[in-house]
Amino acid sequence: MRDGAGVAAPKDLVALNEHSAVDEADMVRRTALGDTGAFGQLVRAHQGRVRAYIGSYVRSPDVVDDLAQEVFLTAYASVGSFRGESAFSTWLLGIARHRVLGHLRTHLRKGRLVDRLIDGRRLDRVEDDAAHLDERERAIAALKRCVEILPPGSSVLVTEHYFQANTLADIGRRTQKGESAVRMTLLRIRRALRDCIERRLASSGIS
Amino acid sequence: MNGANLDPDDLWSRYLAGEALSDDEDGWLAAAVQADPALLDELVDDDRVNGLLATFGRTAVEAKPFDVRVIERLALERDSARFASKVDARLRAVRLHKDRGMPTRRWWVSAVALGLATATVALVLFRRPTREISDGIEDAVATEVRGDVRVARAGAVGTALVPGQVLRPGERIETAADGRVTWRYLGASRVTLSGASVGWVEASVGKHHAIRIESGHVDAELAPQPAGRTISFETPHARATVVGTRLGLWVNNIETRLEVFQGRVLFENLWDDSIGHVHAGGSKVARAVPRALSVDEPGRASPVASGTTPTPESSDIPLLAFDFENGTTPGGFTTGQVVACPPGGPSGLCILGGLFPPSPMDNVVRTEAQEPDGELFRYTDHLVLSFDYWLGPGKNRLSVQVWNRDKNQNYGMTFFDPVCGGWAHAVVRLRDGRGYRDARQVVADGDRITKLSIVGSRLVGEALYIDNLKLDVVSPAALPSASTVRPPQDPLK
């Protein structure tokens, strides 16, 4: 089992690639002409945001992956309609939002009451995103920053669970804590991250 | 099952970790989020952060890079005829544009002239005289959609409306603030619904066609109707029957205003049964008359004479007032029970948050309209709720929520620092509330409020007692500067 000292910091693992607006405009133009190399660069540059956006509403990693691929295929097929009136990333998130809406509406769970309530609220949120995609994008960037400044103990726990796919039981054995204690600690860390995101958004301090 | 052992954080974290909750636990957690919409938002926020972290993590440890997989899938999809034709069409267009450069002004002039000539020929050849409008029922077809416009059958989840879609009778059409939809109706007639509006096309009866507008704004340009056929616009307050005209209708919760730009409209006020024609350049308003509230019930401390109508102007009469001193739980209270107050209370009897163990409704005091279509009161910005409360000594919070029937959502506010383990007085301006489903949406004057809830801690076993509950309409000068649940001298405030 890994110990804390050997765990890579989350900041090394969270990739939201940045590049210049000039490069991007050129890549979009070349993609419109059928250059799949340029398209690949656009995918690399934006896949983090698109997948994070979808992942914030869809739990299954495989479905997130599939929907994100569809978003980029749709973008490739219709990049000619991108007029540059918004950022390219916002345009992509618009496509992603439609995909997520379609998925959630098709797969609204009919079983447990809690599932239905959570799914219903989640659907409301995606619908509300229509006018706030730039804010969603900033929130994703803010989370990246907030993860980077987590205290060491929390950082190790987040890395082990989310980035190295260790189970709660594995982490419990390493830390000699019960599984439920690990679970509750992660809940508290997520709440701290959420507060951090809100603070950053409120002060528009995506530094 | 013992509800006192349940903790929403524990249940939620187990749920999120993929553990199967028991039926009791599922029911308890569901009841908790239903009783406290703020809790539901909190859980969905946590779900979102959890999902983001999981996605970041997955992105970081993939065996094959995502962009490589997308390019591979692109190669596969290109074999799909539909995808390929879409891409090829786009590439052709882009290359044509690139090779030839921008069209010249002369090119544009020629294109416009050719288009006009073609349209003129088409009009001459295919024009249908007005008298040939079919008497059969024609579909309403959306011809233009801008912004967020949704359509749904009753009780179903709405879907985005797209141009060309047929609007079926009974389908509810909703346009967001930035939304606008125009549908062609009965040949040459066009109807446009725009800007935070709700309406639907009614089923046609014989030669009568109706469009119902619940709220918002509609514009219409209607062709002269053949003899015997009518089109009417119906709102909660009025019915406007069209003979062939251009009109505008503005509908809110209080009134409907009709303006006629061309032709004439038969306008019926459904509240005072008046009826008359409105001609071009004219306008007419139908306004809802406030209905009397039934307030003469056992348990009210300050009963208002039956038949009077508490309105925003009647500031000397509270809309609601309960001191619970006659020992009977008032009829409208669906959650809560009159019991002896904890020591130090303002009087002998109080209402204790609903007793439905082990549900989290333990801590909710709720009063509701007693008739199915009734209302508890109508909202104005000058409503002030005051009450004495006693909350359990744990780390509690206190929420005031109202159910807005017109917006179909809960509004309210949560106080995170109430006095715990002792008596305190709360003064709450209802105007400080925000929508739980959509925080940007605020309650509007005249909205029908059908439930009022005071929600204590979400910790089971932490009781909530309420006494001297009162809802007043106050003058602007008497409106408190803020909502408060602590004495002003309290150092924590």
Side-chain angles (χ1 to χ4, degrees):
Chain A
M1 181 57 60
R2 305 166 184 86
D3 61 28
V7 173
K11 64 182 173 186
D12 299 327
L13 300 172
V14 180
L16 293 178
N17 296 338
E18 306 296 341
H19 52 85
S20 76
V22 176
D23 290 345
E24 183 168 276
D26 186 51
M27 285 188 282
V28 170
R29 188 184 59 78
R30 283 163 49 204
T31 300
L33 291 167
D35 181 343
T36 51
F39 176 58
Q41 288 184 57
L42 285 175
V43 175
R44 273 193 294 283
H46 293 286
Q47 54 113 355
R49 286 176 191 81
V50 169
R51 296 168 77 187
Y53 177 80
I54 299 169
S56 64
Y57 292 113
V58 176
R59 287 211 193 101
S60 162
D62 292 335
V63 175
V64 172
D65 203 77
D66 198 44
L67 290 175
Q69 289 190 29
E70 287 174 9
V71 168
F72 283 105
L73 293 182
T74 303
Y76 181 80
S78 53
V79 70
S81 68
F82 174 65
R83 303 286 177 217
E85 289 158 355
S86 64
F88 186 69
S89 56
T90 309
W91 183 72
L92 281 174
L93 289 190
I95 299 173
R97 175 180 164 271
H98 280 288
R99 290 282 169 181
V100 171
L101 267 181
H103 173 79
L104 291 180
R105 284 176 184 150
T106 309
H107 295 90
L108 272 178
R109 288 172 289 182
K110 296 181 173 59
R112 293 294 183 109
L113 186 51
V114 169
D115 289 338
R116 296 205 301 271
L117 292 166
I118 296 288
D119 285 356
R121 188 70 189 91
R122 199 186 271 152
L123 196 56
D124 288 343
R125 294 273 182 97
V126 184
E127 287 171 352
D128 290 349
D129 279 350
H132 302 95
L133 282 174
D134 55 338
E135 191 178 309
R136 300 292 347 126
E137 195 177 349
R138 290 195 304 133
I140 292 167
L143 176 63
K144 174 182 179 263
R145 303 291 184 208
C146 291
V147 167
E148 288 171 359
I149 58 172
L150 276 175
S154 300
S155 177
V156 168
L157 200 54
V158 166
T159 302
E160 286 189 347
H161 183 59
Y162 289 105
F163 295 77
Q164 297 174 338
N166 286 314
T167 64
L168 298 174
D170 285 343
I171 298 170
R173 275 191 291 277
R174 183 185 70 73
T175 56
Q176 298 183 329
K177 288 180 181 169
E179 191 176 327
S180 68
V182 176
R183 188 163 29 79
M184 294 301 279
T185 305
L186 281 170
L187 175 65
R188 281 194 289 276
I189 293 172
R190 289 197 301 270
R191 283 186 176 156
L193 287 171
R194 190 193 62 198
D195 291 345
C196 172
I197 293 170
E198 286 175 1
R199 279 197 307 276
R200 282 180 173 268
L201 289 182
S203 61
S204 67
I206 313 293
S207 56
Chain B
M1 186 186 62
N2 181 3
N5 295 330
L6 296 176
D7 170 39
D9 286 350
D10 179 60
L11 289 181
W12 169 251
S13 64
R14 284 171 49 206
Y15 172 85
L16 204 57
E19 277 187 38
L21 302 182
S22 70
D23 288 344
D24 284 344
E25 289 169 334
D26 179 77
W28 192 93
L29 187 57
V33 297
Q34 282 176 312
D36 185 359
L39 174 61
L40 178 60
D41 275 325
E42 197 176 308
L43 300 187
V44 174
D45 280 344
D46 185 52
D47 192 14
R48 180 183 267 173
V49 173
N50 183 63
L52 281 169
L53 289 171
T55 309
F56 282 160
R58 186 177 168 88
T59 310
V61 296
E62 284 168 337
K64 184 184 279 188
F66 180 79
D67 58 299
V68 174
R69 285 183 287 132
V70 172
I71 298 295
E72 286 176 356
R73 188 162 164 188
L74 178 63
L76 289 174
E77 294 280 349
R78 276 177 160 163
D79 293 338
S80 139
R82 190 172 162 210
F83 185 81
S85 69
K86 190 173 178 185
V87 172
D88 286 348
R90 185 256 300 168
L91 291 180
R92 272 198 305 277
V94 171
R95 283 176 179 143
L96 191 68
H97 181 80
K98 182 170 183 270
D99 294 344
R100 297 182 179 176
M102 285 296 288
T104 62
R105 185 176 173 183
R106 189 172 174 181
W107 185 92
W108 279 113
V109 171
S110 305
V112 170
L114 181 63
L116 283 173
T118 307
T120 306
V121 171
L123 270 175
V124 169
L125 292 178
F126 303 111
R127 184 169 64 91
R128 296 169 64 194
T130 302
R131 59 183 165 77
E132 289 180 5
I133 292 175
S134 163
D135 275 352
I137 297 171
E138 294 184 31
D139 288 330
V141 181
T143 54
E144 184 185 351
V145 180
R146 289 187 201 163
D148 194 3
V149 182
R150 306 171 56 73
V151 62
R153 294 210 68 81
V157 175
T159 56
L161 181 64
V162 295
Q165 188 170 339
V166 174
L167 300 171
R168 305 288 180 198
E171 282 182 337
R172 179 183 171 90
I173 307 153
E174 287 188 30
T175 57
D178 66 338
R180 174 188 174 93
V181 55
T182 298
W183 66 87
R184 185 179 59 80
Y185 195 67
L186 298 174
S189 301
R190 290 188 312 154
V191 178
T192 300
L193 191 67
S194 60
S197 298
V198 178
W200 56 89
V201 178
E202 296 277 28
S204 299
V205 178
K207 293 180 179 178
H208 178 72
H209 306 272
I211 296 159
R212 185 155 186 83
I213 308 299
E214 186 176 295
S215 63
H217 175 63
V218 64
D219 280 306
E221 285 188 42
L222 302 172
Q225 299 302 300
R229 180 145 88 187
T230 60
I231 296 178
S232 69
F233 293 84
E234 297 177 4
T235 78
H237 321 103
R239 179 186 303 120
T241 301
V242 174
V243 183
T245 189
R246 279 200 313 122
L247 62 86
L249 271 177
W250 286 261
V251 187
N252 61 30
N253 297 310
I254 305 293
E255 66 181 28
T256 293
R257 183 161 56 90
L258 165 75
E259 287 188 12
V260 179
F261 308 115
Q262 182 185 352
R264 65 190 172 105
V265 173
L266 185 65
F267 188 72
E268 297 170 63
N269 186 324
L270 304 179
W271 284 79
D272 64 8
D273 292 329
S274 63
I275 183 168
H277 283 105
V278 182
H279 295 268
S283 65
K284 199 90 173 175
V285 173
R287 178 169 299 177
V289 179
R291 295 189 321 176
L293 294 177
S294 171
V295 292
D296 191 7
E297 300 163 2
R300 285 189 189 266
S302 309
V304 181
S306 181
T308 60
T309 305
T311 63
E313 290 76 30
S314 58
S315 57
D316 53 333
I317 304 173
L319 294 184
L320 300 172
F322 304 95
D323 68 4
F324 312 108
E325 287 306 300
N326 73 358
T328 307
T329 302
F333 279 76
T334 52
T335 308
Q337 183 173 330
V338 173
V339 297
C341 294
S347 63
L349 295 175
C350 301
I351 190 160
L352 169 65
L355 294 173
F356 297 101
S359 110
M361 301 293 277
D362 275 354
N363 305 308
V364 179
V365 169
R366 174 174 296 155
T367 180
E368 300 185 18
Q370 295 185 67
E371 299 163 19
D373 296 322
E375 62 204 42
L376 205 53
F377 55 89
R378 290 214 175 203
Y379 177 82
T380 85
D381 270 349
H382 302 115
L383 288 172
V384 175
L385 180 72
S386 61
F387 54 90
D388 298 312
Y389 70 93
W390 187 99
L391 259 176
K395 190 182 176 187
N396 287 322
R397 59 188 187 185
L398 188 67
S399 301
V400 172
Q401 300 166 14
V402 296
W403 176 255
N404 184 331
R405 170 166 286 171
D406 290 307
K407 300 284 192 325
N408 270 332
Q409 72 160 315
N410 246 328
Y411 285 80
M413 66 220 79
T414 299
F415 301 93
F416 292 95
D417 61 342
V419 172
C420 298
W423 279 100
H425 186 66
V427 178
V428 176
R429 308 188 309 179
L430 293 197
R431 65 187 293 177
D432 293 338
R434 287 293 176 270
Y436 281 115
R437 183 162 49 81
D438 179 354
R440 290 161 295 165
Q441 199 175 43
V442 295
V443 196
D445 262 7
D447 279 1
R448 293 169 299 167
I449 304 300
T450 55
K451 296 179 192 175
L452 167 70
S453 305
I454 302 172
V455 184
S457 159
R458 62 176 202 253
L459 300 172
V460 173
E462 295 286 352
L464 167 69
Y465 295 86
I466 299 289
D467 201 4
N468 298 323
L469 177 66
K470 198 163 73 144
L471 181 68
D472 284 297
V473 180
V474 301
S475 66
L479 198 64
S481 58
S483 296
T484 174
V485 294
R486 281 181 170 271
Q489 70 274 18
D490 193 303
L492 289 178
K493 185 66 186 170

